[in-house]
Amino acid sequence: PYRYTSAIDLAMAAGIPIVRLYRNLHLANLGSPKKLFIAAKLLRGYSYLRDPGYSVLDVSLKLGYRSSRIFAQHAVSVFGLTPSRVRSRLPEADAIKKVLDWLRDDALEPAPI
């Protein structure tokens, strides 16, 4: 997830125009590319947090965050827990479900084709 920092990066890597990227995310009822990046980072971060050898700061740096505070804010937004509590209290299936629920944008209606 650290390789892509913007929707343009993702569209270029996929070989599609940026407009198509946004349309495809919309058709899939997913949030913005920014939400997709956060979700990817948090899923990767979850696996790092399960390893007690990594501190929260280590994990945030490995994910490309400039600050562990931002990583913690994202974790609270998505998981409802601080990273240190995610480490000890959140089973893997629940973590995945929370990320998918957060990423899904059910309020959107599919765009016309």
Side-chain angles (χ1 to χ4, degrees), residues 49-61:
L49 287 170
R50 302 300 288 173
D51 182 341
Y54 291 121
S55 69
V56 172
L57 178 61
D58 293 338
V59 172
S60 66
L61 292 174

Side-chain angles (χ1 to χ4, degrees), residues 7-112:
I8 293 171
D9 294 340
L10 189 57
M12 286 179 60
I16 60 173
I18 188 127
V19 172
R20 186 180 299 166
L21 173 68
Y22 276 93
R23 172 168 275 179
N24 288 343
L25 289 174
H26 184 77
L27 288 171
N29 285 339
L30 296 176
S32 67
K34 181 178 179 176
K35 282 183 84 169
L36 189 63
F37 297 138
I38 291 170
K41 284 182 177 185
L42 287 178
L43 282 175
R44 177 62 58 105
Y46 177 81
S47 66
Y48 289 140
L49 287 170
R50 302 300 288 173
D51 182 341
Y54 291 121
S55 69
V56 172
L57 178 61
D58 293 338
V59 172
S60 66
L61 292 174
K62 286 179 86 58
L63 297 173
Y65 282 98
R66 285 182 264 171
S67 161
S68 61
R69 182 183 53 79
I70 297 169
F71 171 57
Q73 288 173 342
H74 286 167
V76 170
S77 294
V78 175
F79 297 129
L81 299 168
T82 62
S84 58
R85 291 201 173 160
V86 165
R87 181 188 308 265
S88 62
R89 297 186 183 173
L90 189 62
E92 183 177 347
D94 291 347
I96 293 169
K97 182 179 182 337
K98 285 181 179 281
V99 169
L100 291 175
D101 288 346
W102 178 80
L103 184 59
R104 189 173 298 116
D105 196 351
D106 291 329
L108 293 176
E109 292 184 27

